[in-house]
Structures are given as C-alpha cells and as structure tokens.
Amino acid sequence: MARRYMEYHRRWLELDREIVSAFEGVSRSMLLAQAEMGRAALQEALLFSAPGSLPVCDVSHLMNLEVPAISYQSAEAVIGYGFAFTSLELDGAVQALQKLLPKLYELAQVNKICEMLSDEMERTRRRVNALEYVMIPQMEQTIRTISMKLEDNERSNLTRLRKVKEMLARERA
C-alpha cells in the first residue's frame, strides 16, 4: 500500500510542477492582456463561456478501496468571445487553460487517491497497533492463565490419584 501511495505521490508532484509552471505562463499572458485591453474589457470578454465537455467520473478499485476515475475528452477548442476586441495574449492564455484542463482533472483524481490511501494506511496502522499492543498481550495473558489453571488441575489430579493409591494400598494391607 505504501508503495502504491508513493507512486501516486510522485505522479502528484509531477503534475503539480507541470500545472504550476503552466499557470505561471497563463498568468503572464493574462497580465499582458489586461495591460493591452484594460481590466473591464478583459473581465467582459471572460464572462462569455464556451460550451465545453464535462469530465466522466467513474469508480475503480484499488486495494479494496473505491477510488475515483476521472477521464476528460476535450472537445474542439472553442472560445466563447469574439476576437475583434480581445488581445492575442488573452487568446493564448485561454487556449493554454483549455489544454491544461485534462491535467487538472488528473491532478484532482491523483490527489483524492493519495488522500484515500493515506487514510487507509492510517486505519491499518491503528489496527496493527491495536493488535500488537492490546489484543496480542491480552491473548498471551489468557493463555498464561489457562495454562496455570490446567497445570494446577493436573497437580490436583496427581495428588488425588496418589491419595486413592495410598487408600487402596492401606485397604489391601
């Protein structure tokens, strides 16, 4: 489980680096677009949304856990505003964000899987600790108690047998 967690964690780090570097470029483009167009015109252009495709959410099984499986097939890149009054930088930023969307969904999926694996490892660790420090010592104590009672019963039986043997030997004599 820890090995699988580390695989997903490495993938999460890789995706995070890619997305952060892509967002830095998009942020730069947005700032340039705002400088060219003005804040109000930029906000107005971004208010128009283009029809996009939704992610397909499903469940897969990973080590007795039901983890999310998110897939995203991007449709044709459509921009919801007109090109006449917008900056080229804004167009590039919006297209870069559209290309980044599948990675964002994958990052969300990997993040949730890491969280679920982490929780499961914590539960497993608690169970192991409960077994190791509570259940096993209690069972060992129970075994010792039962063993002592059985030994005591055996000694009592031996004593009883000796007494019976002595009584039989006295009656014969």
Side-chain angles (χ1 to χ4, degrees):
M1 189 177 295
R3 182 178 54 82
R4 292 297 287 253
Y5 174 80
M6 291 306 296
E7 290 172 6
Y8 280 105
H9 185 69
R10 278 188 217 102
R11 180 66 183 145
W12 183 86
L13 290 174
E14 179 183 309
L15 284 169
D16 186 57
R17 274 189 231 109
E18 288 177 24
I19 289 171
V20 165
S21 66
F23 268 126
E24 287 172 357
V26 167
S27 178
R28 244 181 269 113
S29 295
M30 286 290 199
L31 285 174
L32 288 173
Q34 181 178 342
E36 286 180 29
M37 298 170 50
R39 184 179 188 94
L42 178 67
Q43 287 178 347
E44 185 179 331
L46 292 176
L47 284 177
F48 296 105
S49 63
S53 53
L54 295 173
V56 178
C57 299
D58 200 9
V59 174
S60 65
H61 295 277
L62 174 70
M63 305 178 84
N64 278 345
L65 290 175
E66 288 186 349
V67 295
I70 303 171
S71 59
Y72 179 78
Q73 289 80 25
S74 58
E76 187 178 309
V78 178
I79 296 177
Y81 55 83
F83 295 118
F85 301 106
T86 59
S87 163
L88 180 64
E89 294 294 330
L90 177 63
D91 300 340
V94 169
Q95 288 174 346
L97 285 173
Q98 286 176 343
K99 288 179 185 175
L100 197 59
L101 202 54
K103 287 189 182 186
L104 286 169
Y105 284 122
E106 185 182 358
L107 180 68
Q109 174 186 340
V110 170
N111 187 44
K112 185 63 177 175
I113 290 173
C114 283
E115 180 182 317
M116 293 174 81
L117 282 173
S118 174
D119 290 344
E120 187 63 26
M121 285 191 304
E122 181 67 24
R123 275 193 296 274
T124 304
R125 186 185 61 75
R126 277 195 222 116
R127 287 181 187 146
V128 167
N129 283 344
L131 282 172
E132 189 174 343
Y133 296 111
V134 176
M135 297 292 291
I136 292 174
Q138 284 177 351
M139 288 181 183
E140 287 173 344
Q141 181 62 38
T142 304
I143 290 170
R144 279 194 295 274
T145 304
I146 292 171
S147 296
M148 285 177 17
K149 290 228 184 240
L150 288 173
E151 289 171 2
D152 191 35
N153 286 346
E154 188 177 337
R155 280 192 296 274
S156 295
N157 283 338
L158 283 174
T159 305
R160 230 178 275 120
L161 285 173
R162 284 185 190 148
K163 292 250 186 203
V164 169
K165 194 175 184 180
E166 286 175 12
M167 288 170 62
L168 286 174
R170 269 189 246 151
E171 283 180 14
R172 286 189 188 156

